[in-house]
Amino acid sequence: MFRLAHISDIHLSPLPAPSLRELVSKRITGYINWRSNRKGSMTEGTLDTLIADLKTQAPDHLAVTGDLVNLALDEELETAERWLKTLGNPHDVSVVPGNHDAYVPGALKKTRRYWAPWMLGDREAAEHRPVEFPYLRVRGDVALIGVSSARATAPFMATGDLRDRQARRLGEILGETGNRGLFRVIMIHHPPVRGAAPSHKRLLGIGLFQRTVRRHGAELVLHGHTHLATRYEIDGPGWKIPVICVPSASQSFGGHKPPARFNIFAIAKTASGWSCRMTERGIVDAAMTISTIAEHELHVGVVSAPA
């Protein structure tokens, strides 16, 4: 059995004080939003409590689906690099960037440099090549496929995108790992589901993503961005593919979004294919008690019976 944990939307705090030069950009609106909305509801103590409990669960691997920072300031990216080191060996932690990690033009390039050890595919790492999306990491019978939907956008926008080059490579990876009989997990920040996010926060390229997985298949899709605990399904080649979001890992109790949570997926081969049991753990009260919230048996890679 392989146990995969999932967290997202870290939004590390406290936010360092940006310079006036750094604020002459979209960052000014993000800074105001942080000061007025997120400063009190997304806290370092909440995150520390959640991660401490996650570590007691001893998962085999951890997927982090973006928004580690807030305004993509250089100091934030460095802080996030140090924080990632506390999670464990980069071999056991996989990261994809979110829109806040690419907040202004040029930020995503820096993000890829600072966080490269957690974003390198197996081939890129072996050949000492730079980060490239989508990337592939194989751990046991599980293929971890990191897709980047992160991009810099205009003020008051938080859209992501998936374009032809990434979709084409994603299809190749899904086909290759499917032929190897691996359990394929796609990690992406924005939800690849219509209606899952408002129009100014949606993924541009949902149709392209869904056509790619419908043709080549996958067993599980993990995302963040909405700060909600949601479960959707999209079509695969004869089966439904679960699409799972987890609330922000730093959201305190009592806000308008669910408090901090992580998911663990227990993945195992069976005589008929795969089993995947999902356990949700998170903060359940103002005392920051962490408990198991729910458990679900996911139907993964189950071919539909002919009509």
Side-chain angles (χ1 to χ4, degrees), residues 5-12 42 47 50-51 54 62-69 83 87 94-99 101 187-191 222-228 244-251 259-263:
H6 175 213
I7 58 173
S8 195
D9 297 271
I10 315 305
H11 294 288
L12 285 167
M42 308 191 78
L47 175 64
L50 189 81
I51 296 301
L54 189 155
L62 174 61
V64 186
T65 53
D67 278 3
L68 278 67
V69 299
W83 178 77
L87 295 182
S94 295
V95 175
V96 294
N99 53 291
D101 307 322
M187 303 169 293
I188 186 171
H189 181 67
H190 291 77
L222 304 179
H223 71 89
H225 191 52
T226 65
H227 297 201
L228 298 173
I244 310 294
C245 183
V246 67
S248 164
S250 60
Q251 179 66 51
R261 194 177 301 186
F262 64 87
N263 295 332

Side-chain angles (χ1 to χ4, degrees), residues 218-236:
E219 280 62 57
L220 182 63
V221 178
L222 304 179
H223 71 89
H225 191 52
T226 65
H227 297 201
L228 298 173
T230 56
R231 289 187 294 152
Y232 295 98
E233 290 182 333
I234 57 177
D235 290 333

Side-chain angles (χ1 to χ4, degrees), residues 111-113 115-117 119-121 124 129-133 135:
T111 296
R112 291 162 69 145
R113 185 174 74 248
W115 306 344
M119 292 179 168
L120 278 171
E124 288 76 21
R129 290 162 47 189
V131 173
E132 182 179 352
F133 294 103
Y135 66 73

Side-chain angles (χ1 to χ4, degrees), residues 9 15 27 51 54 67 74 94 102 104 109 127-128 132 135 141 143 148 152 155 158 183 226 250:
D9 297 271
L15 180 68
R27 285 190 177 117
I51 296 301
L54 189 155
D67 278 3
D74 285 357
S94 295
V104 294
K109 184 177 181 180
E127 298 175 0
H128 304 287
E132 182 179 352
Y135 66 73
D141 291 324
S148 175
F183 186 100
T226 65
S250 60

Side-chain angles (χ1 to χ4, degrees), residues 210-277:
Q210 292 194 6
R211 287 193 298 274
T212 301
V213 299
R214 188 181 306 126
R215 178 179 179 184
H216 298 281
E219 280 62 57
L220 182 63
V221 178
L222 304 179
H223 71 89
H225 191 52
T226 65
H227 297 201
L228 298 173
T230 56
R231 289 187 294 152
Y232 295 98
E233 290 182 333
I234 57 177
D235 290 333
W239 65 82
K240 297 290 186 180
I241 301 168
V243 179
I244 310 294
C245 183
V246 67
S248 164
S250 60
Q251 179 66 51
S252 58
F253 185 83
H256 69 282
K257 291 288 181 75
R261 194 177 301 186
F262 64 87
N263 295 332
I264 292 185
F265 302 87
I267 301 163
K269 275 189 171 181
T270 68
S272 58
W274 297 100
S275 71
C276 182
R277 186 164 186 81

